[in-house]
Amino acid sequence: MKSDFVCGIFLAAALLSGGLFTEASAEEGEERPLSIAGPSISTAKKKPVEIEMEYMEPRFYKDRHIKSYDLHVYEPWKVNGTFSIKKGLTIQRATGYTSDDHIRRDSKGAGIGPSILLRWEKPISGKLSGGFDGTGSILLYDKAFPARGRAFGFMWRIGPRLSYRWNEDNGIRLGWSYMHCSNGFKSHNPGFNAAGFMIGYEHRF
């Protein structure tokens, strides 16, 4: 779809310009490292890295029967109160088939590419917090994927999250995601939707 292509251009521009942004103190005008919970003496020099894994099953397309096993790795980019932006990498392994025109076509593929995560998160009580994530990834595949598609595409995800942090350096995140994958073109674009649960782990190094 054209909207996917336009959104992909904005995503690429954001990824390429990532090095131009730093977080600065509004009062002191000095740069300081990003932190989800705010910098402290013990964590000021530590960078949190987040790893997410998810299993997605096909949804809402009767001719798409594709399951997706995804891995996402993120690090902080920008933070402003309860809103944060992360940058990272997405790896996708998909299996299944399409059945357009009542013809079964195997659709297996593996993709990798840069990703941006937008997060709104607010404390609930104690070490527990909740929020929503939205991500966009540009993926290059090992072949045309799905069948009759192209060797690249965009992955969009959105869904609620529940987080638990048992200390300053470690936390776990559970959630559910809705996903859309397509390459943005009008032809050779057998996009598909999927949904599933994810689990994430964050550690400060």
Side-chain angles (χ1 to χ4, degrees):
M1 292 182 294
K2 184 176 180 181
S3 59
D4 290 329
F5 188 75
V6 174
C7 291
I9 292 175
F10 281 107
L11 174 61
L15 289 167
L16 292 173
S17 62
L20 301 177
F21 293 87
T22 57
E23 178 178 297
S25 168
E27 298 179 355
E28 302 176 1
E30 61 180 3
E31 296 182 359
R32 60 186 183 186
L34 295 169
S35 171
I36 290 179
S40 65
I41 295 177
S42 62
T43 63
K45 295 183 179 180
K46 293 184 178 181
K47 178 182 291 187
V49 175
E50 183 175 340
I51 299 174
E52 297 182 355
M53 296 177 291
E54 62 190 359
Y55 166 67
M56 312 289 275
E57 292 189 335
R59 293 287 188 273
F60 310 118
Y61 267 124
K62 65 178 182 178
D63 296 324
R64 307 289 186 266
H65 314 275
I66 300 173
K67 297 180 180 180
S68 184
Y69 305 83
D70 308 323
L71 175 69
H72 312 273
V73 181
Y74 293 106
E75 65 177 10
W77 184 13
K78 295 283 287 182
V79 62
N80 183 9
T82 59
F83 181 76
S84 61
I85 305 176
K86 296 175 180 283
K87 57 184 178 180
L89 181 73
T90 289
I91 300 174
Q92 181 185 37
R93 174 58 175 160
T95 63
Y97 64 96
T98 63
S99 57
D100 296 282
D101 305 319
H102 304 290
I103 300 175
R104 179 180 174 125
R105 299 179 177 88
D106 289 338
S107 294
K108 297 180 181 179
I112 186 171
S115 181
I116 287 290
L117 181 150
L118 307 179
R119 172 174 293 156
W120 175 82
E121 189 172 46
K122 194 170 184 179
I124 297 176
S125 64
K127 301 178 179 181
L128 191 66
S129 60
F132 284 88
D133 282 3
T135 72
S137 304
I138 304 175
L139 301 179
L140 296 179
Y141 293 101
D142 58 338
K143 57 185 176 182
F145 171 81
R148 305 175 73 184
R150 301 176 188 269
F152 70 91
F154 306 111
M155 174 192 288
W156 310 102
R157 300 185 303 142
I158 189 170
R161 301 289 186 264
L162 189 64
S163 306
Y164 178 79
R165 183 179 298 279
W166 58 89
N167 58 41
E168 289 186 337
D169 292 334
N170 297 280
I172 192 171
R173 180 170 285 106
L174 301 175
W176 179 90
S177 295
Y178 171 79
M179 178 179 75
H180 173 72
C181 293
S182 64
N183 59 47
F185 283 78
K186 292 183 178 180
S187 62
H188 299 287
N189 183 20
F192 67 96
N193 298 327
F197 290 94
M198 60 75 63
I199 182 170
Y201 173 70
E202 182 179 299
H203 179 73
R204 292 179 181 270
F205 292 92

